């Protein structure tokens, strides 16, 4: 199996950076570059770009490729444009309909969308999806925030305190070292797998 586009490889290690507190109450890197932040001013984990080097690490997502796939609505598996029609952009999700009424309406997703041919590939190869998955068309999938590691001030510098998902509107986002872009899924319609098979034929 060819590893998904967003999968990190063993040759793609995080670049060493020292996180420091900034005067404007947030975190930054020593010798920070403009490219270390997104358009909202949030600091991002910098990781080597060496896809195909070493072995794929299926449990690890490459921050830059995930961000690119989410920004451009690319398929998380092949990296091409995700499936879109009048009903919205196509997403493949683990089935969490028991989590709340109307799921996945309002869900914050760090998983990029998908194209029709890659749905079958994902269902065949991903153990988590084999336990239950749904295909969803999403008409409104606005970028709302980031997933990453929250920091707090410390005596010797900022201290990492754990993983969070935080909206761009939250002042605390200045203390997050981001590794994933988040889109909120709204105006969702569940799609039967049989309908996708017809589209792929």
């Amino acid at each position: 199996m060819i590893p998904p586009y967003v999968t990190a490889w063993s040759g793609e290690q995080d670049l060493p950076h020292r996180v420091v507190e900034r005067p404007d109450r947030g975190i930054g890197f020593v010798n920070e570059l403009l490219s270390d932040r997104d358009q909202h001013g949030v600091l991002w984990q910098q990781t080597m770009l060496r896809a195909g080097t070493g072995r794929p690490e299926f449990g690890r997502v490459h921050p830059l490729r995930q961000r690119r796939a989410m920004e451009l609505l690319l398929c998380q598996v092949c990296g091409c444009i995700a499936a879109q029609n009048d009903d919205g952009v196509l997403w493949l999700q683990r089935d969490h309909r028991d989590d709340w009424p109307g799921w996945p309406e309002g869900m914050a997703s760090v998983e990029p969308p998908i194209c029709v041919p890659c749905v079958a590939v994902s269902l065949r190869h991903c153990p988590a999806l084999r336990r239950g998955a749904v295909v969803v068309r999403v008409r409104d999938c606005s970028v709302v925030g980031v997933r990453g590691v929250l920091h707090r001030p410390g005596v010797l510098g900022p201290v990492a305190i754990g993983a969070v998902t935080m909206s761009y509107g939250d002042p605390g986002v200045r203390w997050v070292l981001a590794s994933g872009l988040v889109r909120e899924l709204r105006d969702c319609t569940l799609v039967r797998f049989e309908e996708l098979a017809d589209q792929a034929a």
Side-chain angles (χ1 to χ4, degrees), residues 19 27 148-153 158-162 164 172 174-177:
V19 178
I27 57 171
V149 177
L150 181 64
H151 291 69
R152 62 169 171 77
V159 177
I161 58 174
V164 295
R174 294 176 300 191
W175 290 91
V176 175
L177 179 57

Side-chain angles (χ1 to χ4, degrees), residues 29-190:
F29 292 141
V30 174
N31 302 320
E32 186 178 310
L33 304 174
L34 284 176
S35 58
D36 292 334
R37 294 184 181 272
D38 63 21
Q39 62 183 355
H40 298 276
V42 173
L43 190 67
W44 276 75
Q45 177 64 54
Q46 299 303 306
T47 304
M48 294 177 181
L49 274 170
R50 293 181 179 170
T53 302
R55 66 186 184 287
E57 298 184 341
F58 292 100
R60 193 164 68 94
V61 172
H62 192 282
L64 182 59
R65 288 196 293 276
Q66 186 273 355
R67 181 174 155 194
R68 183 173 185 271
M70 287 295 250
E71 286 176 341
L72 302 178
L73 293 174
L74 304 179
C75 173
Q76 64 173 293
V77 178
C78 68
C80 296
I81 297 295
Q84 301 181 43
N85 63 19
D86 291 343
D87 293 323
V89 182
L90 194 68
W91 250 268
L92 177 63
Q93 299 283 343
R94 288 177 57 194
D95 191 348
H96 290 292
R97 282 178 279 187
D98 293 336
D99 285 5
W100 72 79
W103 180 93
E105 192 70 29
M107 184 180 83
S109 179
V110 292
E111 296 177 9
I114 198 164
C115 67
V116 172
C118 287
V119 170
V121 173
S122 298
L123 292 173
R124 195 165 49 249
H125 293 286
C126 178
L129 293 176
R130 285 199 296 265
R131 292 193 292 270
V134 292
V135 182
V136 186
R137 288 280 184 186
V138 183
R139 285 195 178 94
D140 181 0
C141 52
S142 302
V143 172
V144 294
V146 293
R147 176 88 174 152
V149 177
L150 181 64
H151 291 69
R152 62 169 171 77
V155 175
L156 301 177
V159 177
I161 58 174
V164 295
T165 299
M166 195 171 289
S167 75
Y168 279 123
D170 190 322
V173 77
R174 294 176 300 191
W175 290 91
V176 175
L177 179 57
S179 58
L181 197 63
V182 176
R183 283 185 179 268
E184 185 175 9
L185 309 186
R186 294 210 170 268
D187 201 357
C188 304
T189 305
L190 297 183

